[in-house]
Amino acid sequence: MTDFPFDIIGFDLDGTLFDTSADLTAALNHTLELLGRPALSIDAVKPMIGRGGKFMLHQGLEASGGCDPEVLERSYPELLAFYGDHIADRTRPFPGLIEAMDTLDARGAKLAIVTNKSESLAVKLVAALALDHRFACVIGGDTMGPDGRKPSPAGIREMIRRCGGGRAAFVGDSIFDTQAAKNAGIPSIAVSFGFLMQPIAELEADAVIDHFDELVPTLERLGA
């Protein structure tokens, strides 16, 4: 079947494709421990995820005793090094993702990633999960330069360009994802199982799914 309404489906990474919360929390808590700070729970860290590692560390420092800019800059490389060494210890695709990707492949849609995670870490993670062959491109938070992070539409526009053009939709779990899609002029789908920073209705997505089983039918409805 090739009568699918979209040529390209873009995805956020953390909290959308994969549950990365355990490994990100471990990296943050490793860094906090070195500073003599208390550990944070996964549930406390989830809302800190989505704007890149430095933002997560900033939020973690604030939550554990206050953030001094010098401490933030000094500790950030340690967080990145630990996370890079443990990037897929406990990270897993969300339920139903692989089956949804199989269906999208069969329907002729290209899949891509636009994330605020650094490109090198995003590429490393996707490869560690043996899914790198499934994505036409991976756009990171640093791929498009300092002003290219979501909610900027630059990453989504580059995704469309690298995928050869066509009608696209974007799937994410944060206001940065839905705003980036809106700014790029394409529809967005929000996942209710992601690392939500706010009530999902406030994301103002064009549709919401509660499980990846709903993705393809929702895309068909949006594209009609």
Side-chain angles (χ1 to χ4, degrees), residues 66-215:
C67 180
D68 178 88
E70 188 276 329
V71 174
L72 174 66
E73 294 299 327
R74 174 164 47 86
S75 302
Y76 185 48
E78 183 63 41
L79 182 145
L80 290 179
F82 185 93
Y83 181 61
D85 289 340
H86 301 275
I87 199 165
D89 287 0
R90 296 167 63 189
T91 290
R92 299 292 181 269
F94 280 106
L97 171 64
I98 303 303
E99 293 81 1
M101 291 170 64
D102 289 342
T103 302
L104 290 169
D105 284 342
R107 300 295 296 274
K110 293 181 179 179
L111 310 181
I113 294 172
V114 182
T115 175
N116 279 345
K117 190 189 238 44
S118 71
E119 181 180 327
S120 62
L121 286 174
V123 169
K124 184 174 184 176
L125 175 55
V126 174
L129 295 173
L131 292 171
D132 44 320
H133 65 291
R134 304 298 298 264
F135 298 98
C137 64
V138 176
I139 309 294
D142 52 354
T143 303
M144 305 304 296
D147 299 321
R149 300 163 64 85
K150 296 175 292 184
S152 165
I156 290 179
R157 289 172 177 162
E158 177 67 6
M159 170 193 81
I160 295 170
R161 187 192 71 79
R162 292 190 188 187
C163 289
R167 193 177 184 190
F170 195 72
V171 184
D173 71 326
S174 79
I175 191 68
F176 310 110
D177 298 318
T178 55
Q179 285 182 344
K182 183 177 182 179
N183 291 338
I186 68 171
S188 63
I189 295 175
V191 297
S192 66
F193 48 81
F195 305 155
L196 300 178
M197 297 178 242
Q198 62 205 98
I200 197 160
E202 294 182 7
L203 274 57
E204 298 183 345
D206 295 290
V208 175
I209 61 172
D210 301 318
H211 190 283
F212 270 119
D213 290 352
E214 303 167 22
L215 178 59

Side-chain angles (χ1 to χ4, degrees), residues 55-70:
F55 178 84
M56 181 182 70
L57 178 58
H58 180 278
Q59 295 293 102
L61 290 170
E62 288 284 9
S64 63
C67 180
D68 178 88
E70 188 276 329

